[in-house]
Amino acid sequence: MHSDIKMETLRQLAEVVDTHIPFHNLLGMRVKKYDLNGLEMTVNMRTDLVGNIHQNILHGGVTASVLDVVGGFTAFAGLVDSRDDWSIDELKSRVKTLSTIDLRIDYLRPGRGETFTGTGSVIRAGNRVSVCRMELHNEQGDHIAFGTGTYMVG
């Protein structure tokens, strides 16, 4: 599978992640970049995402959700990049079973900000299980949380 086919696969998947998953739409998650290095996703602060009304900060569940989505699709990018002989049908089959095995979130500071960006990187890309590290920052670059996730990729 050539690099352009890999990128087209991820482009198509980014469209699904960005517009067709109801929970992502509910939270207002938006894909900013998706390539072989991973997924970058944003969510804008809204009053219905506040978890602490006294401090006006992002709900920890939103933080965890963004990091989980980033981790899962970063793991899938690692899978796509792991071989050059994937068929499109194999990848379509595998993305249907993409799921979280384990997720750990460390909250570093309150979720203050207007726009939060989640990024991820692959720690280990396996044929069936992959591990990723994810980070969430606000628009000022403050590190809000990080996570480690283990994902079923096949």
Side-chain angles (χ1 to χ4, degrees):
M1 175 180 282
H2 298 295
S3 175
D4 54 337
I5 295 172
K6 288 180 179 183
M7 290 305 299
E8 178 59 19
T9 300
L10 295 181
R11 187 201 63 73
Q12 289 178 15
L13 185 55
E15 183 180 330
V16 170
V17 171
D18 202 36
T19 60
H20 298 294
I21 299 177
F23 186 67
H24 298 180
N25 294 334
L26 179 70
L27 294 182
M29 294 182 195
R30 292 291 166 250
V31 173
K32 289 300 178 188
K33 182 174 86 170
Y34 192 27
D35 59 25
L36 295 172
N37 295 315
L39 178 70
E40 181 177 323
M41 176 169 271
T42 62
V43 64
N44 292 323
M45 182 58 135
R46 304 186 321 252
T47 55
D48 54 344
L49 299 182
V50 169
N52 182 319
I53 59 172
H54 304 290
Q55 295 187 39
N56 198 36
I57 58 175
L58 188 67
H59 191 286
V62 176
T63 298
S65 294
V66 171
L67 292 179
D68 187 27
V69 170
V70 166
F73 288 101
T74 295
F76 192 77
L79 178 75
V80 170
D81 197 35
S82 70
R83 290 183 11 203
D84 287 332
D85 61 344
W86 289 114
S87 73
I88 297 295
D89 289 338
E90 282 178 300
L91 291 174
K92 283 182 179 181
S93 175
R94 284 181 174 247
V95 77
K96 291 177 184 176
T97 62
L98 178 63
S99 60
T100 306
I101 296 171
D102 186 62
L103 180 66
R104 175 191 166 93
I105 306 296
D106 289 298
Y107 298 92
L108 304 175
R109 61 177 42 96
R112 291 191 180 92
E114 296 300 317
T115 302
F116 300 92
T117 301
T119 57
S121 60
V122 176
I123 295 171
R124 179 188 183 277
N127 189 41
R128 299 194 80 57
V129 175
S130 293
V131 180
C132 294
R133 176 181 167 93
M134 303 80 70
E135 298 186 2
L136 187 75
H137 293 85
N138 65 14
E139 74 281 359
Q140 297 175 342
D142 295 329
H143 196 173
I144 304 300
F146 76 87
T148 305
T150 305
Y151 299 91
M152 179 67 65
V153 292

